[in-house]
Amino acid sequence: MCVTTALVHLCLVFLYNAPPNVVSQRYQRQINAWIYPYFEQNWQMFAPNPESAPQEVWARAATTSAGGTRRAGRWLDLTAQDTAAVRHDPFPSHTAQNMLRRAWSLYSTAQGTGDGPGPERARMLRRYLAGIAAQRLAAHGSGAFDAVQLRVDTTPIGLPGSPGPRTPSSTQILPWWQVTSHGR
């Protein structure tokens, strides 16, 4: 079973990286479902793109009553959790540093403007991002919840030596996303 899984994985990664051909075009949906978001191929490990405008991702959970009334919790700074996890660690995890940032970056690129249904890739990345937020909120002790909402604050990088705290230049609040029940 392990050998079969390894061979299937190698074949799918090969088809993903190969120039477009009949097989990769016919099975593109299945190949993308296997590759994204865990096995995406890129060169950013060797030549990372520096952030031009740091973004802070915040999340909050909500419960919906039987009558349809939604009660929202407090905002939790997910980016600050990532920063704290790697701050004094001499060998920080690549996942701890980049999972949330990359998930948001990929989602915002795939979604484009607005938060409508979007393409298939954007919907898949929305579920992935909602799952990250739900997992972090559940670990933080947010109690039972059935929806999450994200807020992203973008702050421009100031000129070297510029004094004072920087304030976000834009804030994007996404709609509520349903998630599987947590904390019950």
Side-chain angles (χ1 to χ4, degrees):
M1 186 167 176
C2 289
V3 171
T4 302
T5 303
L7 288 174
V8 168
H9 174 73
L10 288 174
C11 288
L12 290 172
V13 170
F14 173 78
L15 289 172
Y16 174 78
N17 287 312
N21 58 58
V22 176
V23 176
S24 67
Q25 289 174 348
R26 179 169 179 186
Y27 296 104
Q28 181 177 10
R29 189 166 164 228
Q30 291 86 350
I31 293 169
N32 286 344
W34 180 262
I35 295 295
Y36 294 112
Y38 300 110
F39 303 114
E40 181 182 10
Q41 305 292 305
N42 64 47
W43 292 97
Q44 289 190 351
M45 177 192 280
F46 304 105
N49 294 332
E51 291 185 82
S52 58
Q55 297 171 324
E56 292 178 2
V57 180
W58 297 70
R60 66 179 173 172
T63 55
T64 308
S65 69
T69 306
R70 179 170 283 152
R71 198 180 82 193
R74 297 179 58 198
W75 289 104
L76 176 66
D77 188 351
L78 303 181
T79 304
Q81 286 182 341
D82 288 353
T83 303
V86 300
R87 173 126 313 147
H88 298 291
D89 187 349
F91 302 106
S93 160
H94 180 70
T95 304
Q97 294 180 58
N98 295 317
M99 180 192 307
L100 180 65
R101 184 178 62 84
R102 289 280 295 142
W104 170 252
S105 174
L106 291 170
Y107 170 74
S108 62
T109 301
Q111 181 64 33
T113 58
D115 195 61
E120 176 69 28
R121 178 169 161 80
R123 288 192 302 272
M124 185 261 313
L125 287 165
R126 181 183 307 137
R127 287 189 303 272
Y128 179 59
L129 196 54
I132 292 171
Q135 182 181 34
R136 303 264 184 99
L137 287 164
H140 188 260
S142 294
F145 59 91
D146 56 18
V148 296
Q149 185 177 36
L150 297 180
R151 180 182 90 203
V152 181
D153 295 333
T154 303
T155 306
I157 296 176
L159 296 172
S162 60
R166 297 188 315 259
T167 58
S169 63
S170 69
T171 297
Q172 181 179 1
I173 299 177
L174 301 177
W176 289 100
W177 294 337
Q178 293 301 120
V179 293
T180 56
S181 296
H182 289 276
R184 292 188 178 161

